[in-house]
Amino acid sequence: MINIRKSQERGHAHHGWLDTYHTFSFANYYDPNAMGFRTLRVMNQDQVSPGAGFGTHGHRDMEIITYVLDGALEHKDSMGNGSVIYPGDVQRISAGTGIRHSEFNHSKTDSVQFLQIWILPDKNGHNPSYEQHNFGIAKHPGQFHLIASGDGREKSLTIHQDVNLYAAILTKGDRVTHSLAPQRYGWLQVARGTVTVNGLALESGDGAALSEETDVVIAATTDAEVLLFDLA
């Protein structure tokens, strides 16, 4: 079974410096029928104006993944980490017992666009931790790259949850397949472009919840970028 969450169904807010879309309930957007999928709780698509950003604020007991699509995002946190995240980079924060951080557009001239993803941890109270890695996804298009997992295999980021997160950049005509084991679920997020999933058409910003599906076949009908979550 595949349930599609269309891009235009998402929550939307424009704060001048921030143009944001919420696949699931977040901040002032609330939809009791869109509270997440399995342990995937937040899927926000944010575009931040040059030089602007989120001032220092706190999080706890959440696995936070940042995936940059365009531009550069500057990060600082209370653990002493400071970095700039570019396309191809993926950042993971395990907020655990509590962290404070800020995120600003690193550029004074160009906007930055990124996906902010929150995953519920397997338990509360983990020690806060941080990782960032460049996976070279654009250098190897047409295939899935494991970018986060519960065990950190294949040099993926390690998250405190039974989730495998894959990313792929596809050119028109590319076709990728992923098999879901019994009692596993999938969420496909189209970051850009258009694809089909098991024959159903998806556009940029669309998401799809996959239940009782064995083989997930994604075909790019234009150049595209997708994220696939394999969830317990």
Side-chain angles (χ1 to χ4, degrees):
M1 180 173 63
I2 300 177
N3 291 322
I4 297 175
R5 173 77 162 160
K6 296 298 292 180
S7 174
Q8 59 267 27
E9 296 172 351
R10 298 179 295 176
H12 179 231
H14 200 300
H15 302 289
W17 63 274
L18 170 66
D19 191 14
T20 180
Y21 289 86
H22 308 318
T23 295
F24 306 119
S25 294
F26 186 85
N28 293 328
Y29 169 64
Y30 175 71
D31 180 346
N33 297 314
M35 297 301 296
F37 181 71
R38 310 299 294 179
T39 54
L40 176 59
R41 178 60 188 85
V42 169
M43 174 65 70
N44 292 349
Q45 182 177 342
D46 293 342
Q47 183 166 307
V48 176
S49 298
F54 303 89
T56 302
H57 60 283
H59 296 288
R60 64 182 303 125
D61 293 322
M62 194 66 69
E63 303 294 295
I64 301 170
I65 296 172
T66 301
Y67 185 97
V68 173
L69 297 169
D70 298 295
L73 187 68
E74 185 172 349
H75 165 89
K76 293 181 180 179
D77 66 44
S78 56
M79 295 178 283
N81 300 297
S83 64
V84 179
I85 313 166
Y86 296 95
D89 294 333
V90 186
Q91 178 202 74
R92 184 272 299 163
I93 298 173
S94 291
T97 54
I99 60 101
R100 294 180 62 79
H101 74 141
S102 64
E103 296 168 307
F104 278 85
N105 188 340
H106 186 62
S107 173
K108 304 300 183 184
T109 58
D110 300 313
S111 63
V112 59
Q113 183 177 196
F114 57 96
L115 298 178
Q116 179 104 139
I117 300 157
W118 292 9
I119 295 171
L120 298 170
D122 54 7
K123 65 177 183 179
N124 292 339
H126 285 290
N127 291 327
S129 60
Y130 175 93
E131 281 184 287
Q132 181 177 323
H133 186 65
N134 187 292
F135 290 90
I137 298 169
K139 297 178 181 178
H140 303 282
Q143 59 183 285
F144 276 127
H145 299 258
L146 182 66
I147 61 174
S149 66
D151 57 8
R153 68 187 184 281
E154 300 175 23
K155 299 182 179 180
S156 61
L157 305 178
T158 304
I159 56 176
H160 296 294
Q161 187 50 266
D162 183 8
V163 174
N164 298 312
L165 172 55
Y166 300 87
I169 291 177
L170 308 173
T171 56
K172 182 179 179 180
D174 281 346
R175 183 183 178 97
V176 291
T177 301
H178 178 75
S179 295
L180 291 172
Q183 307 304 312
R184 300 289 294 186
Y185 299 79
W187 180 273
L188 178 67
Q189 187 71 29
V190 183
R192 64 175 114 224
T194 61
V195 302
T196 62
V197 55
N198 291 3
L200 299 177
L202 297 176
E203 301 177 343
S204 180
D206 290 354
L210 309 164
S211 304
E212 299 178 1
E213 298 285 329
T214 302
D215 292 323
V216 182
V217 181
I218 300 161
T221 50
T222 66
D223 291 350
E225 188 165 1
V226 299
L227 298 180
L228 178 64
F229 297 78
D230 184 322
L231 303 146

